[in-house]
Amino acid sequence: MHATSTVYASRIQRFRLPRVCVPLVGEDPARIVERAESLVRDNPFLEFRLDYLTNPLAGFPKLKHFLDLHPEATVIATCRRAVNGGKFKGSATAQLEVLTKAAATGFQLVDIELQTAEILKQQQLIDLKDRVGVILSFHDFKTTKKLEETFTELQRYPADFYKLVSTATTLYDNVQMMKFLQAHSAQYEMVALCMGEQGIISRVLGVRAGSIFTFGAATRGEETAPGQVTARELRDTYRIEMVDAATQVYGVAGDPVAHSLSPVMMNTAFRRETVNAVYLALHAKTPKDLFACVNDIPIRGLSITMPYKQEIIAALSNSDALTRQIGACNTLVRSQDGKLYGFNTDVAGIIVPLEQRLTLQGAKVLIVGAGGAARAAAFGLKNKGAEVFIANRTPENAQALARQSKSKYMKRADVGKSTFDAIINATPVGMGNGKQSPLEDKELNTRYLFDLVYSPAETKLIKMAKAKNIQVISGLEMFVQQGARQFEIWTGKPAPVAEMAFVVTKALERLAAANGKEPSPPPQEAAEADESGATRIASQKPTVAGKKKAKAATHKPAKKAVRKTVKR
Ligand code: NAP
């Protein structure tokens, strides 16, 4: 009788349960209740980690008060033993006592590990299941292995939900986990995901493979497992409540990618243009792992970042002429028949912001650096008819790029002796702490300074240029424009550039604040003070006043070809 009613309850819950459960920890029950009170309105599905409490049994009166006040909330009680990766130092019997008390207190679900089930008597488990919904769980904190064998073990014990959590050490581990879910979720109530930074695919896409819910941290800093993203990110960035079988999967692949701003920017674009798609950060430690994943998930498109921009070319069925010329691909499209096509949108990321401000035909442009970004700049600018000079720390690299792109090599010693229409910093100098500059003040003889570095938003080089009244272009514009072009290639729709720029600016501000620095002015504000056409990034449709301003700011190029190069 009891057993039947619990099964019935869990069937109801399957459809009632939200997709995101927020785990809460604290040594003091008052602290857990306080956090729960502040979160429950937006997060009606919570997990109380009773194993973090100094004395779990003593905490129940406070927890009961919360449960009585919030009948709308579904709350899991978990008291994981230390031997199984939790904090509870007691025996399996002591754990059962806590969970039984939790059931009597009003928790709807309890989580109990397979290892505890193996110690307890079968009847003890049946008794527990008669009182409360039971999640029987297994956690592998190192690998994703033997999923089927573990599941067979789990099935030996009565439970309402079977929860299997592993650790992804490759992207393909996510595929294994989702195949496992697909094989069993029609028959059993399953919760499964991979922990670790590489487990993000399973955290977001696991729900469409059959996991009834997943876990999201209350805030950054309150994670209870490696790789856990916040509940807010799951809902707002990855739109987990809407992920379904038709959702297209995109991502940024590289090593590392954990701090990439591409997911927040591209997911915003998909949401704004109502494209049923999700964009994930894929930490690929090898191209082989990446390709195995691309084929099996299946992924429709990828942004390719360091260190795979060159390596990826060998795997492409075809690519555009510019990608072949540059020898680097940052955008991948997977066609219906599985073939991979490559594009390079870094070129657009550099050319578009420059073209919005000056005519490139005949313009004199210095590129500092000779790596991947410099290659995109050199070939892109030459195609537009610019006169391109390349200076670099290692002269041989600059000479080689100059030769290949039909540009001119410039000795560093000569940089200060010339004037330019634009100088582009294509080195990482200035990134992070913002205290270094690739050029000295006296070398900044230019009308436009484009720093491809975008974090921090205002580098030392940008500050130096502003102090000399040079018009500046931030690396954020390149970042947004290369992403906008990717969005257009993938969806065939115009990219919502203003929204993309806005969220990236906000993310950079948060980053700066977290690093204890004053946030740099967002591009919109910078654009107010900036007489150049930078306003265009803040709004795709510039105002009439903005257009006039931008037109007035379109200067003549330095030295020669003055009339020919002014944009009319
Ligand atoms: P890369 O291929 O590694 O090339 C780096 C270049 O910078 C090389 O020419 C290198 O000179 C030079 N360099 C490195 N450290 C230096 C130092 N301490 N002093 C002087 N020169 C130095 O990198 P990449 O892909 O071209 O990217 C370069 C930078 O562009 C990135 O760090 C990033 O900030 C920026 N970027 C921005 C975007 C965007 O969307 N805004 C996109 C791509 C890149 P050697 O030849 O002597 O090694």
Side-chain angles (χ1 to χ4, degrees), residues 129-284:
K129 190 171 168 297
D130 281 354
R131 293 191 177 95
V132 67
V134 168
I135 303 170
L136 186 64
S137 66
F138 180 79
H139 298 77
D140 181 339
F141 292 95
K142 288 197 176 133
T143 58
T144 298
K145 271 191 194 152
K146 300 185 177 169
L147 300 179
E148 289 299 335
E149 287 93 324
T150 308
F151 186 51
T152 306
E153 280 302 300
L154 285 166
Q155 284 172 288
R156 290 176 51 216
Y157 301 95
D160 296 284
F161 297 87
Y162 291 106
K163 176 181 160 197
L164 215 164
V165 177
S166 68
T167 298
T169 57
T170 64
L171 289 176
Y172 199 74
D173 283 343
N174 292 275
V175 177
Q176 309 269 44
M177 185 55 92
M178 288 195 291
K179 284 185 173 174
F180 165 75
L181 268 169
Q182 275 159 354
H184 300 289
S185 59
Q187 207 181 342
Y188 299 94
E189 314 285 308
M190 307 288 293
V191 179
L193 58 94
C194 298
M195 295 184 285
E197 192 207 329
Q198 291 187 292
I200 180 75
I201 303 177
S202 70
R203 286 187 182 275
V204 176
L205 300 183
V207 289
R208 84 170 182 183
S211 184
I212 291 169
F213 60 88
T214 190
F215 292 87
T219 59
R220 282 198 186 176
E222 289 184 275
E223 298 87 355
T224 54
Q228 201 172 70
V229 292
T230 65
R232 194 168 169 182
E233 280 173 285
L234 283 173
R235 289 199 200 96
D236 294 355
T237 304
Y238 300 113
R239 292 182 293 164
I240 195 160
E241 304 287 356
M242 297 175 64
V243 166
D244 59 22
T247 304
Q248 308 278 6
V249 184
Y250 295 88
V252 53
D255 182 16
V257 286
H259 300 295
S260 171
L261 296 178
S262 294
V264 73
M265 177 172 79
M266 301 306 275
N267 282 310
T268 298
F270 286 136
R271 176 199 287 269
R272 173 73 171 74
E273 294 303 311
T274 54
V275 180
N276 184 4
V278 65
Y279 184 101
L280 305 164
L282 308 178
H283 184 178

Side-chain angles (χ1 to χ4, degrees), residues 45-170:
F45 190 17
L46 300 165
E47 178 190 35
F48 286 3
R49 287 294 299 265
L50 306 182
D51 49 318
Y52 280 70
L53 293 174
T54 317
N55 182 352
L57 284 174
F60 280 113
K62 278 209 169 67
L63 303 181
K64 183 172 183 344
H65 186 63
F66 173 83
L67 296 171
D68 289 347
L69 273 181
H70 295 282
E72 79 283 9
T74 303
V75 192
I76 306 172
T78 298
C79 190
R80 186 154 303 130
R81 294 178 67 209
V83 284
N84 301 325
K87 299 260 184 221
F88 187 62
K89 303 254 169 53
S91 65
T93 310
Q95 181 189 11
L96 180 66
E97 189 187 352
V98 174
L99 296 182
T100 306
K101 180 87 177 159
T105 305
F107 284 86
Q108 296 91 337
L109 293 160
V110 297
D111 181 313
I112 189 162
E113 306 94 72
L114 172 64
Q115 295 90 328
T116 299
E118 286 168 340
I119 296 170
L120 297 177
K121 292 194 179 81
Q122 185 87 350
Q123 191 54 48
Q124 288 176 302
L125 287 169
I126 292 169
D127 289 347
L128 182 67
K129 190 171 168 297
D130 281 354
R131 293 191 177 95
V132 67
V134 168
I135 303 170
L136 186 64
S137 66
F138 180 79
H139 298 77
D140 181 339
F141 292 95
K142 288 197 176 133
T143 58
T144 298
K145 271 191 194 152
K146 300 185 177 169
L147 300 179
E148 289 299 335
E149 287 93 324
T150 308
F151 186 51
T152 306
E153 280 302 300
L154 285 166
Q155 284 172 288
R156 290 176 51 216
Y157 301 95
D160 296 284
F161 297 87
Y162 291 106
K163 176 181 160 197
L164 215 164
V165 177
S166 68
T167 298
T169 57
T170 64

Side-chain angles (χ1 to χ4, degrees), residues 341-359:
Y341 297 94
F343 299 86
N344 190 311
T345 70
D346 282 340
V347 177
I350 295 166
I351 298 300
V352 171
L354 285 169
E355 271 193 322
Q356 284 176 343
R357 294 160 166 95
L358 75 158
T359 301

Side-chain angles (χ1 to χ4, degrees), residues 306 309-310 346 349 368-375 391-395 397-398 412 425-429 431 436 438 450-455 474-480 482:
M306 298 307 288
K309 285 187 182 183
Q310 284 90 29
D346 282 340
V368 184
R375 286 186 77 78
N392 187 45
R393 177 178 65 178
T394 309
N397 294 346
R412 175 66 189 265
N425 172 34
T427 78
V429 181
M431 212 159 87
Q436 285 150 346
F450 191 173
D451 194 344
L452 302 191
V453 171
Y454 67 88
S455 181
S474 138
L476 189 137
E477 283 200 48
M478 175 185 177
F479 183 68
V480 172
Q482 59 81 33

